[in-house]
Amino acid sequence: MSGGTAKLLQNCKAVLDSASLIHIPVPWGYVRGLQVGPKDGTPVLMIHGWLDNCYSFVPLLSALPPTRRYIALDLPGHGHSSHKPKSANSHVIDLITDIEHCRRGLGLQRFDLIGHSLGGMLSGIYCATYPEYIKKFVAIDGLLPFHSPTDKIISNLRRSSDMICGDPVPHKVYPDLDELSEKIADTMFYRGIHPELVKFMVDRSIHLTPRGYQFTYDVRLRYPALIRMTRDVLFPLIQSWTTPILYLVASHGFKQFHHPSYEEGMTFLGEHGKNVKQLELPGPHHLHMTNTDDVSAAIIEYLNLSDKPDPAPRDFFKGL
């Protein structure tokens, strides 16, 4: 392990030592996460990616000014948050209402938003749905939901429905935590992350069984979506954005896969995303875990973060 990775892990542990745990009651159970910074600071809500958890933001938190109230959530079925009931389907679009449940539970009125990967896609939809709550939004290598051609809708629906109605496939068991971390670090979306950093993140998504280590995330999260957006839904969504958005594109992230849906969406975004600023930074898909210097610098500038505490609210004269 390099000195840089060792130092980053040391910084991550310092963040966890200073963090407080949050527990938000929701209709199906609870959503958990971490809160860092002063409780009266300006809120920054952080939404992680698919099969990740709130620990994926800890490396970035170690590089951000500690003057804001950073709230990193575990999405339902991830990390330490409740799984949805077996009678419920885990649709991606349902996570929009889950985020709104959390906003209400936290009592947030105006806040900045940071989302990575799936969390960026969800946050983009949330900005279109509830624009009055968002000051600014930073998306990290994930902003546009993948959309499907209309002629694929029925076949995708059948495939997903068959999986939902079938017997769930249990998580694999790994006898060694190092083996598990190295295996994940070699998968498509995690390449470029040191296995020790992967181990740090997955610690919140595993448990130890008599046979070894096993993931705890909801297995239904791996099922394909019943219904995906079509371009006729996605493109008007992009045009509806009024929230200022910074999209941090990883040089070796989604763009390297040349997915037709991604490339078509990015072309439309470049032509019609009038409130979206794009900035490409070096790094893999999880660049907020590996290139914390560049990512934090871009976020600090865009969100006007400062090492100084937010000024106290002024008392305005309200009349006699």
Side-chain angles (χ1 to χ4, degrees), residues 40-61:
D40 59 351
T42 302
V44 180
L45 188 63
M46 312 176 90
I47 310 295
H48 65 76
W50 180 60
L51 303 186
D52 290 349
N53 58 65
C54 66
Y55 274 18
S56 66
F57 282 114
V58 173
L60 176 60
L61 285 168

Side-chain angles (χ1 to χ4, degrees), residues 6 13 32 80 107-108 113 167 201 221 227 244 255 290 299:
K13 292 175 182 177
R32 286 177 170 166
H80 290 181
L108 303 181
L113 189 57
D167 294 328
M201 182 180 68
L221 296 170
I227 296 289
K255 64 175 293 184
T290 61
I299 291 174

Side-chain angles (χ1 to χ4, degrees), residues 81-123:
S81 290
S82 297
H83 295 191
K84 293 289 183 72
K86 294 185 183 301
S87 58
N89 295 322
S90 294
H91 300 159
V92 169
I93 201 68
D94 290 338
L95 292 169
I96 303 305
T97 54
D98 298 343
I99 294 172
E100 176 60 9
H101 275 303
C102 292
R103 183 200 68 79
R104 297 183 184 196
L106 292 165
L108 303 181
Q109 294 303 315
R110 288 280 287 171
F111 56 95
D112 291 316
L113 189 57
I114 299 176
H116 167 247
S117 192
L118 172 64
M121 300 174 191
L122 294 172
S123 297

Side-chain angles (χ1 to χ4, degrees), residues 248-265:
L248 301 179
V249 180
S251 62
H252 292 80
F254 274 141
K255 64 175 293 184
Q256 70 173 328
F257 303 124
H258 302 291
H259 193 285
S261 169
Y262 176 85
E263 295 190 338
E264 183 183 18

Side-chain angles (χ1 to χ4, degrees), residues 47-257:
I47 310 295
H48 65 76
W50 180 60
L51 303 186
D52 290 349
N53 58 65
C54 66
Y55 274 18
S56 66
F57 282 114
V58 173
L60 176 60
L61 285 168
S62 73
L64 295 177
T67 51
R68 292 289 192 98
R69 179 191 176 195
Y70 301 101
I71 304 166
L73 301 178
D74 286 335
L75 289 170
H78 298 75
H80 290 181
S81 290
S82 297
H83 295 191
K84 293 289 183 72
K86 294 185 183 301
S87 58
N89 295 322
S90 294
H91 300 159
V92 169
I93 201 68
D94 290 338
L95 292 169
I96 303 305
T97 54
D98 298 343
I99 294 172
E100 176 60 9
H101 275 303
C102 292
R103 183 200 68 79
R104 297 183 184 196
L106 292 165
L108 303 181
Q109 294 303 315
R110 288 280 287 171
F111 56 95
D112 291 316
L113 189 57
I114 299 176
H116 167 247
S117 192
L118 172 64
M121 300 174 191
L122 294 172
S123 297
I125 302 173
Y126 187 87
C127 285
T129 310
Y130 294 99
E132 67 270 26
Y133 299 128
I134 312 302
K135 296 167 64 177
K136 290 184 176 180
F137 164 41
V138 178
I140 304 173
D141 210 44
L143 174 59
L144 307 179
F146 288 101
H147 61 285
S148 293
T150 53
D151 61 354
K152 298 292 185 182
I153 289 178
I154 300 303
S155 59
N156 289 343
L157 177 61
R158 172 60 185 264
R159 184 163 63 100
S160 180
S161 179
D162 283 345
M163 293 185 71
I164 291 171
C165 294
D167 294 328
V169 178
H171 291 298
K172 294 180 180 179
V173 176
Y174 297 85
D176 183 79
L177 188 54
D178 289 332
E179 177 188 346
L180 180 151
S181 301
E182 290 173 2
K183 183 178 181 63
I184 294 173
D186 193 43
T187 57
M188 181 170 60
F189 289 117
Y190 293 90
R191 289 193 185 113
I193 310 178
H194 193 283
E196 288 298 317
L197 203 54
V198 172
K199 186 190 299 185
F200 168 82
M201 182 180 68
V202 301
D203 180 65
R204 194 172 172 88
S205 297
I206 57 174
H207 65 169
L208 182 60
T209 73
R211 295 189 298 125
Y213 294 92
Q214 189 175 38
F215 281 108
T216 56
Y217 64 78
D218 191 333
V219 295
R220 293 173 296 175
L221 296 170
R222 301 190 70 95
Y223 296 172
L226 278 167
I227 296 289
R228 275 186 172 178
M229 287 186 174
T230 63
R231 65 195 308 273
D232 293 335
V233 176
L234 175 63
F235 290 178
L237 183 147
I238 294 172
Q239 292 175 304
S240 76
W241 280 329
T242 57
T243 303
I245 299 173
L246 172 63
Y247 183 24
L248 301 179
V249 180
S251 62
H252 292 80
F254 274 141
K255 64 175 293 184
Q256 70 173 328
F257 303 124

Side-chain angles (χ1 to χ4, degrees), residues 20-24 31-35 71-73 106 204:
S20 57
L21 302 178
I22 57 174
H23 181 106
I24 308 167
V31 169
R32 286 177 170 166
L34 298 176
Q35 181 171 271
I71 304 166
L73 301 178
L106 292 165
R204 194 172 172 88

